[in-house]
PDB file of all heavy atoms in Angstrom:
ATOM      1  N   LEU V 409      37.782 124.223   4.050  1.00  0.00           N
ATOM      2  CA  LEU V 409      38.048 122.843   4.357  1.00  0.00           C
ATOM      3  C   LEU V 409      37.292 122.406   5.708  1.00  0.00           C
ATOM      4  O   LEU V 409      37.763 122.814   6.695  1.00  0.00           O
ATOM      5  CB  LEU V 409      39.500 122.548   4.217  1.00  0.00           C
ATOM      6  CG  LEU V 409      40.224 122.864   3.073  1.00  0.00           C
ATOM      7  CD1 LEU V 409      41.728 122.615   3.309  1.00  0.00           C
ATOM      8  CD2 LEU V 409      39.770 121.983   1.948  1.00  0.00           C
ATOM      9  N   THR V 410      36.346 121.476   5.526  1.00  0.00           N
ATOM     10  CA  THR V 410      35.627 121.191   6.750  1.00  0.00           C
ATOM     11  C   THR V 410      36.132 119.852   7.163  1.00  0.00           C
ATOM     12  O   THR V 410      37.212 119.377   6.640  1.00  0.00           O
ATOM     13  CB  THR V 410      34.119 121.243   6.440  1.00  0.00           C
ATOM     14  OG1 THR V 410      33.916 120.416   5.255  1.00  0.00           O
ATOM     15  CG2 THR V 410      33.552 122.519   6.173  1.00  0.00           C
ATOM     16  N   THR V 411      35.404 119.305   8.185  1.00  0.00           N
ATOM     17  CA  THR V 411      36.047 118.186   9.037  1.00  0.00           C
ATOM     18  C   THR V 411      36.725 117.127   8.266  1.00  0.00           C
ATOM     19  O   THR V 411      37.918 116.833   8.583  1.00  0.00           O
ATOM     20  CB  THR V 411      34.843 117.600   9.818  1.00  0.00           C
ATOM     21  OG1 THR V 411      34.062 118.628  10.358  1.00  0.00           O
ATOM     22  CG2 THR V 411      35.321 116.572  10.851  1.00  0.00           C
ATOM     23  N   PHE V 412      36.268 116.403   7.221  1.00  0.00           N
ATOM     24  CA  PHE V 412      36.871 115.377   6.669  1.00  0.00           C
ATOM     25  C   PHE V 412      37.267 115.688   5.198  1.00  0.00           C
ATOM     26  O   PHE V 412      37.858 114.889   4.442  1.00  0.00           O
ATOM     27  CB  PHE V 412      35.931 114.097   6.577  1.00  0.00           C
ATOM     28  CG  PHE V 412      36.052 113.218   7.944  1.00  0.00           C
ATOM     29  CD1 PHE V 412      34.973 112.636   8.327  1.00  0.00           C
ATOM     30  CD2 PHE V 412      37.242 113.135   8.617  1.00  0.00           C
ATOM     31  CE1 PHE V 412      34.888 111.885   9.515  1.00  0.00           C
ATOM     32  CE2 PHE V 412      37.232 112.467   9.675  1.00  0.00           C
ATOM     33  CZ  PHE V 412      36.090 111.784  10.262  1.00  0.00           C
ATOM     34  N   ALA V 413      36.928 116.845   4.876  1.00  0.00           N
ATOM     35  CA  ALA V 413      37.100 117.283   3.382  1.00  0.00           C
ATOM     36  C   ALA V 413      38.330 116.805   2.624  1.00  0.00           C
ATOM     37  O   ALA V 413      38.263 116.261   1.641  1.00  0.00           O
ATOM     38  CB  ALA V 413      36.826 118.705   3.181  1.00  0.00           C
ATOM     39  N   PRO V 414      39.532 117.125   3.303  1.00  0.00           N
ATOM     40  CA  PRO V 414      40.712 116.677   2.416  1.00  0.00           C
ATOM     41  C   PRO V 414      40.953 115.206   2.169  1.00  0.00           C
ATOM     42  O   PRO V 414      41.523 114.781   1.268  1.00  0.00           O
ATOM     43  CB  PRO V 414      41.904 117.222   3.313  1.00  0.00           C
ATOM     44  CG  PRO V 414      41.283 118.234   4.196  1.00  0.00           C
ATOM     45  CD  PRO V 414      39.916 117.730   4.401  1.00  0.00           C
ATOM     46  N   ALA V 415      40.286 114.310   2.918  1.00  0.00           N
ATOM     47  CA  ALA V 415      40.367 112.859   2.854  1.00  0.00           C
ATOM     48  C   ALA V 415      39.535 112.314   1.792  1.00  0.00           C
ATOM     49  O   ALA V 415      39.789 111.313   1.163  1.00  0.00           O
ATOM     50  CB  ALA V 415      39.958 112.218   4.212  1.00  0.00           C
ATOM     51  N   VAL V 416      38.377 113.013   1.476  1.00  0.00           N
ATOM     52  CA  VAL V 416      37.386 112.507   0.623  1.00  0.00           C
ATOM     53  C   VAL V 416      37.940 112.348  -0.940  1.00  0.00           C
ATOM     54  O   VAL V 416      37.830 111.332  -1.532  1.00  0.00           O
ATOM     55  CB  VAL V 416      36.142 113.301   0.525  1.00  0.00           C
ATOM     56  CG1 VAL V 416      35.127 112.868  -0.355  1.00  0.00           C
ATOM     57  CG2 VAL V 416      35.487 113.361   2.008  1.00  0.00           C
ATOM     58  N   PRO V 417      38.535 113.430  -1.494  1.00  0.00           N
ATOM     59  CA  PRO V 417      39.007 113.193  -2.913  1.00  0.00           C
ATOM     60  C   PRO V 417      40.364 112.577  -2.973  1.00  0.00           C
ATOM     61  O   PRO V 417      40.864 112.482  -4.027  1.00  0.00           O
ATOM     62  CB  PRO V 417      38.973 114.527  -3.466  1.00  0.00           C
ATOM     63  CG  PRO V 417      39.097 115.432  -2.301  1.00  0.00           C
ATOM     64  CD  PRO V 417      38.658 114.846  -0.976  1.00  0.00           C
ATOM     65  N   THR V 418      40.923 112.232  -1.898  1.00  0.00           N
ATOM     66  CA  THR V 418      42.301 111.607  -1.966  1.00  0.00           C
ATOM     67  C   THR V 418      42.193 110.246  -1.341  1.00  0.00           C
ATOM     68  O   THR V 418      42.140 109.317  -2.192  1.00  0.00           O
ATOM     69  CB  THR V 418      43.146 112.497  -0.870  1.00  0.00           C
ATOM     70  OG1 THR V 418      42.633 112.578   0.337  1.00  0.00           O
ATOM     71  CG2 THR V 418      43.431 113.874  -1.506  1.00  0.00           C
ATOM     72  N   TYR V 419      42.343 110.023  -0.026  1.00  0.00           N
ATOM     73  CA  TYR V 419      42.409 108.598   0.439  1.00  0.00           C
ATOM     74  C   TYR V 419      41.189 107.804   0.318  1.00  0.00           C
ATOM     75  O   TYR V 419      41.309 106.622   0.235  1.00  0.00           O
ATOM     76  CB  TYR V 419      42.906 108.646   1.854  1.00  0.00           C
ATOM     77  CG  TYR V 419      44.366 109.074   1.958  1.00  0.00           C
ATOM     78  CD1 TYR V 419      44.728 110.324   2.411  1.00  0.00           C
ATOM     79  CD2 TYR V 419      45.389 108.227   1.419  1.00  0.00           C
ATOM     80  CE1 TYR V 419      45.967 110.633   2.425  1.00  0.00           C
ATOM     81  CE2 TYR V 419      46.709 108.488   1.384  1.00  0.00           C
ATOM     82  CZ  TYR V 419      47.100 109.697   1.928  1.00  0.00           C
ATOM     83  OH  TYR V 419      48.388 110.232   2.043  1.00  0.00           O
ATOM     84  N   LEU V 420      40.011 108.470   0.156  1.00  0.00           N
ATOM     85  CA  LEU V 420      38.783 107.713  -0.114  1.00  0.00           C
ATOM     86  C   LEU V 420      38.369 107.653  -1.564  1.00  0.00           C
ATOM     87  O   LEU V 420      37.451 107.035  -1.867  1.00  0.00           O
ATOM     88  CB  LEU V 420      37.634 108.407   0.745  1.00  0.00           C
ATOM     89  CG  LEU V 420      37.835 108.363   2.101  1.00  0.00           C
ATOM     90  CD1 LEU V 420      36.690 109.170   2.937  1.00  0.00           C
ATOM     91  CD2 LEU V 420      37.849 106.993   2.745  1.00  0.00           C
TER      92      LEU V 420
END
Side-chain angles (χ1 to χ4, degrees):
Chain V
L409 294 175
T410 51
T411 311
F412 276 144
V416 176
T418 55
Y419 289 107
L420 295 175

